[in-house]
Amino acid sequence: TLKWTKGDENNLPIMNYTLQYRTDTEIYSDYNGYISGDAEEFTVTGLTPATKYFFQLQAVNALGRYRFYCFTVYVLKLLFYN
């Protein structure tokens, strides 16, 4: 799960977020999943254990897109819940 704190919305609410990801050997691609503008965390699925991932999160409002906020995550193992 990626977590973040909302920044200044410049008097316009964030409508949604765009999330991109890559590994060491790939280029960034969009993650298929809608992230609400109210969100401050998002669970990413489909990751491979023992792999380093780079994520970019971008807020979108009525004026356009903010710059990307970057995360680096190393997946040690995946947890499965019933």
Side-chain angles (χ1 to χ4, degrees), residues 20-29 52-55:
Q20 295 182 336
Y21 71 105
R22 71 175 179 86
T23 64
D24 281 330
T25 59
E26 298 173 332
I27 61 170
Y28 278 105
S29 59
K52 183 191 287 186
Y53 287 90
F54 301 90
F55 292 92

Side-chain angles (χ1 to χ4, degrees), residues 44-51 53 74-81:
V44 179
T45 60
L47 302 179
T48 304
T51 304
Y53 287 90
Y74 188 76
V75 178
L76 298 175
K77 64 181 179 177
L78 299 177
L79 301 176
F80 296 95
Y81 297 95

Side-chain angles (χ1 to χ4, degrees), residues 3-64:
K3 295 184 179 188
W4 61 89
T5 302
K6 284 185 177 184
D8 181 13
E9 297 184 63
N10 296 320
N11 297 317
L12 287 171
I14 295 171
M15 298 183 313
N16 66 287
Y17 291 94
T18 299
L19 180 65
Q20 295 182 336
Y21 71 105
R22 71 175 179 86
T23 64
D24 281 330
T25 59
E26 298 173 332
I27 61 170
Y28 278 105
S29 59
D30 290 338
Y31 184 80
N32 292 325
Y34 179 78
I35 305 174
S36 166
D38 295 331
E40 291 189 352
E41 66 179 48
F42 185 75
T43 300
V44 179
T45 60
L47 302 179
T48 304
T51 304
K52 183 191 287 186
Y53 287 90
F54 301 90
F55 292 92
Q56 298 185 137
L57 183 72
Q58 183 180 56
V60 180
N61 71 11
L63 290 178

